[in-house]
Amino acid sequence: QVQLVESGGGSVQPGGSLRLSCAASGRIISINRMGWSRQAPGKERELVAAITSYGTTNYIDSVKGRFTISIDNAKNTVYLRMNSLKPEDTAVYYCNGVLLTTKYVEVWGQGTLVTVST
């Protein structure tokens, strides 16, 4: 069974930084793409950043220049480096991946909370 496990969330003051990690485990042949989404209280989940196994990235406008997504294909792990954090970045962050096992499957992690406040 394939699963994603996130780590690295926590509380930070505005202007601070955090790095989220998401490790995929199980019978994985390869990664097609992975990404990070977030859901703030009372809001819909939104895709924040995504990356393909080749390293092609995309971001929502509100995090461009502050967040960086990267992937380590050898470790089946994706990272989200978050700098210059703002209170509006507060949310539960979810890792998501499209992985090749016996077929392509889409998997979600359990989520990790990021809180930005004074």
Side-chain angles (χ1 to χ4, degrees), residues 28-107:
I28 300 167
I29 297 174
S30 65
I31 293 173
N32 179 265
R33 65 181 185 274
M34 296 188 77
W36 290 92
S37 297
R38 67 186 180 188
Q39 187 166 20
K43 295 187 177 181
E44 294 186 354
R45 189 175 299 187
E46 62 178 354
L47 179 63
V48 174
I51 187 168
T52 70
S53 59
Y54 296 102
T56 302
T57 61
N58 63 78
Y59 302 89
I60 57 171
D61 287 344
S62 61
V63 306
K64 286 181 180 177
R66 301 189 298 121
F67 291 12
T68 303
I69 190 171
S70 59
I71 193 168
D72 185 334
N73 288 302
K75 295 182 179 179
N76 289 335
T77 299
V78 65
Y79 305 95
L80 185 67
R81 177 67 180 182
M82 305 184 293
N83 296 327
S84 302
L85 282 161
K86 304 175 180 180
E88 52 263 43
D89 294 318
T90 295
V92 177
Y93 284 71
Y94 296 91
C95 177
N96 162 251
V98 176
L99 312 173
L100 179 60
T101 60
T102 56
K103 60 181 179 179
Y104 281 106
V105 294
E106 184 173 19
V107 187

Side-chain angles (χ1 to χ4, degrees), residues 13-31:
Q13 292 186 342
S17 299
L18 285 173
R19 191 181 79 156
L20 305 182
S21 300
C22 173
S25 63
R27 293 179 176 268
I28 300 167
I29 297 174
S30 65
I31 293 173

